[in-house]
Amino acid sequence: MSLTVFGAPLSPFVRKVRLCLLEKGLDYQLEIVMPFTPPEWYLQLNPLGRIPAMKDGDLCLADSSVICQYLEETYAQTAPLYGSNPVERAQIRWLEKYADYELAPLTTFGIFRNRVLKPSSGHPCNEESVQSALTQKLPPHFDYLERQLGEKPFFVGDRLSMADIAFTCQLINMEHGGERLDADRWPALAAHFARMKERPSLQSVLPSEQRTTAKLIEMGKQASQSS
């Protein structure tokens, strides 16, 4: 087995693949590829230039959901993350897609990108966009997900799934951007997020991410002082 993941650790989609691998107990190597300006060789793996991509021997795959579903089907002896029947699989894929397509534009590209990435590269934070995400756009999504979770420990079934992982990956980026769920308004989601962060898989990746985020924030402060 020679699994290699290509991407940047602070990407929620790269994180999703890494957590999938960790929860399944699969060894892998991470090769850093930055988004937006990938090297030419990377375009041979993913012509869209997006991260992540993955190689398993001679096989090349792109897109985090495609990669995770491939891992689920190929390494069937590992911990299942897509449920145990068609109903659970459909529910998990729906919630994974919901996190990737509805939360990501707000938590990652709205909050994290504006608060961390743009300042670190010398560009101003669009705080109006951040506040719009926090006060107008995200609350209806959190209301929906709070209802979906209810009093259950996991979104689907009685075990961890990619629905839990995908949701958590987006909240981590929101937290990197300096914002947290309102535990009074969304107590089930906040408790779920706290439990997820205690898992060994999360504990193995979060400290280095937090250090990197702190460095980027400091770079942003220095850039604003010198401008």
Side-chain angles (χ1 to χ4, degrees):
M1 180 173 62
S2 56
L3 294 166
T4 303
V5 177
F6 301 88
L10 294 181
S11 161
F13 307 109
V14 173
R15 184 187 303 118
K16 187 172 74 166
V17 170
R18 295 180 73 194
L19 292 177
C20 177
L21 287 159
L22 288 166
E23 290 288 347
K24 286 180 169 295
L26 296 173
D27 293 330
Y28 72 96
Q29 292 182 325
L30 176 66
E31 186 163 338
I32 301 298
V33 172
M34 301 304 294
F36 311 120
T37 55
E40 186 63 31
W41 61 262
Y42 183 72
L43 298 178
Q44 303 303 312
L45 300 179
N46 182 0
L48 300 178
R50 298 170 186 161
I51 56 175
M54 189 190 76
K55 287 190 71 175
D56 185 2
D58 294 329
L59 175 68
C60 297
L61 293 172
D63 185 89
S64 63
S65 294
V66 171
I67 292 169
C68 291
Q69 290 179 33
Y70 165 80
L71 294 170
E72 178 84 352
E73 296 174 5
T74 303
Y75 298 97
Q77 75 281 8
T78 62
L81 294 174
Y82 280 93
S84 58
N85 58 62
V87 171
E88 288 187 352
R89 285 192 286 274
Q91 291 173 329
I92 291 165
R93 286 172 176 148
W94 158 244
L95 290 169
E96 180 185 6
K97 182 179 177 68
Y98 196 97
D100 289 355
Y101 285 82
E102 303 304 325
L103 297 187
L106 304 171
T107 56
T108 294
F109 299 105
I111 297 170
F112 173 71
R113 183 168 180 265
N114 271 296
R115 287 275 184 80
V116 179
L117 296 184
K118 289 173 70 175
S120 70
S121 59
H123 299 288
C125 166
N126 184 344
E127 189 61 27
E128 182 179 348
S129 177
V130 172
Q131 293 305 317
S132 174
L134 288 170
T135 62
Q136 299 176 32
K137 297 177 180 179
L138 278 170
H141 294 312
F142 291 152
D143 288 342
Y144 169 75
L145 291 167
E146 179 86 1
R147 294 193 300 271
Q148 294 300 303
L149 181 60
E151 297 181 358
K152 305 188 301 292
F154 303 106
F155 275 105
V156 179
D158 59 358
R159 67 175 69 181
L160 178 79
S161 76
M162 288 307 301
D164 304 292
I165 292 173
F167 169 71
T168 299
C169 284
Q170 295 303 328
L171 285 199
I172 287 171
N173 274 52
M174 189 173 88
E175 190 170 76
H176 286 340
E179 300 293 340
R180 295 188 178 186
L181 275 171
D182 183 341
D184 292 329
R185 182 168 179 179
W186 300 291
L189 292 181
H192 176 277
F193 185 50
R195 290 193 302 272
M196 288 294 294
K197 288 198 296 182
E198 292 301 316
R199 295 186 71 87
S201 61
L202 267 295
Q203 287 296 310
S204 71
V205 301
L206 271 182
S208 62
E209 285 194 24
Q210 290 164 341
R211 290 192 296 270
T212 301
T213 300
K215 290 178 182 178
L216 290 172
I217 291 173
E218 182 60 30
M219 287 170 59
K221 291 178 180 178
Q222 294 175 359
S224 65
Q225 292 170 356
S226 62
S227 60

